[in-house]
Amino acid sequence: MAKPIPPQSTAPDPVCRLRVEYAKRGRLRYLGHLEVLRTVERSIRRAGLPFAVTQGFSPHMRVQFTSALPVGVSSLHEYFDVLLTREVDASEALEALRTSMPEDLGPARAEVLPVRVPALEAWLNALSWHVEVRALDGSTLDASEAERSLQALVARGTLEYLRGTKPKTVDLTQAIIGCDVDGGEGGAVCLDLVCACGEHGQLRPDALVRAVVECMGAPACSIDVCRTEQGHRGEDGQIVKPFSR
């Protein structure tokens, strides 16, 4: 005799979403994306927020994140949305999350938004990065030479590199929105990049900078990457931040 099918979950529908800005820094920059997701979900539970869950046989928390950071990359501005079954005070929710989240994933801002706003990962299509390149032998790197090498790569049109074991080709003329190259302390070179992302994926800044270092003929270098901002670039070229005010 066939077993009866258990009824589906009748979890309450969400009435709003709480958007939270947080950082990823210090030792926690070495957390993988799935580890960050699990840590944030545990923190939401500890904070006592009235989170919504999915329907079906395996209900889970309805929370949305921005695109994954490579392991070892830090960030000043990461975001997640958690859908809630009742409205909360954003300042009280932020304080509860500050108490429950690790310091190196510390939240800085929160805002209550309507349920039907675009999902973060799909809406955020412009990413800003700060990359610091330093020669391992202590020699000084030339910022002007780095800028010329970057321009030569862009003029070439595409960049090919391995993502894991899979080859990837990126159109640099479309991927790079803007870039500034300057000298840093102790002979370092600093690049501030604004890159496009979307349905065709995104450029990994460390892959671009490795190509720049190779083009320069520079010695072996350390490359430190930080995501400094995320936003939505409209048809007018203006970049809008994820909060309404």
Side-chain angles (χ1 to χ4, degrees):
M1 182 176 178
K3 293 183 179 180
I5 298 175
Q8 291 191 346
S9 169
T10 55
D13 291 332
V15 300
C16 65
R17 66 176 64 213
L18 182 72
R19 177 161 294 175
V20 179
E21 176 190 305
Y22 66 103
K24 185 184 181 189
R25 54 183 174 248
R27 291 187 299 172
L28 295 194
R29 71 185 186 273
Y30 294 106
L31 286 180
H33 187 59
L34 291 179
E35 293 172 306
V36 172
L37 268 59
R38 287 193 289 265
T39 301
V40 169
E41 288 183 358
R42 287 196 297 268
S43 299
I44 291 170
R45 294 178 188 275
R46 285 197 295 267
L49 297 180
F51 59 86
V53 298
T54 58
Q55 303 285 343
F57 296 102
S58 180
H60 57 271
M61 185 183 297
R62 295 187 63 178
V63 58
Q64 301 167 351
F65 291 83
T66 54
S67 60
L69 281 171
V71 174
V73 173
S74 60
S75 177
L76 302 180
H77 300 286
E78 292 297 292
Y79 304 95
F80 68 82
D81 283 355
V82 55
L83 277 68
L84 304 178
T85 57
R86 61 176 172 83
E87 286 207 26
V88 298
D89 181 85
S91 59
E92 292 178 2
L94 178 61
E95 188 57 36
L97 286 169
R98 282 175 172 160
T99 302
S100 65
M101 289 179 71
E103 183 178 354
D104 284 342
L105 289 178
R109 188 176 178 185
E111 182 179 3
V112 175
L113 296 172
V115 172
R116 299 188 183 281
V117 298
L120 279 168
E121 190 170 1
W123 186 75
L124 294 171
N125 60 6
L127 309 178
S128 298
W129 307 88
H130 178 78
V131 187
E132 185 172 295
V133 190
R134 194 177 299 275
L136 294 178
D137 64 4
S139 59
T140 297
L141 299 176
D142 189 329
S144 298
E145 186 179 354
E147 186 168 15
R148 287 192 296 270
S149 297
L150 176 61
Q151 291 172 350
L153 285 171
V154 174
R156 197 181 299 168
T158 59
L159 174 67
E160 296 181 0
Y161 62 93
L162 290 177
R163 185 172 182 177
T165 59
K166 297 181 179 180
K168 182 172 182 178
T169 302
V170 177
D171 183 349
L172 295 180
T173 62
Q174 298 296 319
I176 299 176
I177 299 171
C179 181
D180 291 320
V181 183
D182 291 300
E185 295 182 0
V189 166
C190 298
L191 296 90
D192 289 291
L193 296 159
V194 182
C195 299
C197 65
E199 59 182 10
H200 302 297
Q202 59 180 281
L203 169 68
R204 284 190 59 148
D206 57 323
L208 174 66
V209 173
R210 287 192 186 94
V212 169
V213 170
E214 183 178 349
C215 189
M216 291 169 62
C221 293
S222 65
I223 299 173
D224 186 58
V225 182
C226 178
R227 185 149 71 186
T228 56
E229 190 51 277
Q230 303 180 70
H232 176 78
R233 185 171 182 253
E235 294 181 359
D236 59 359
Q238 296 297 312
I239 297 178
V240 180
K241 302 295 179 60
F243 287 90
S244 65
R245 58 184 183 276

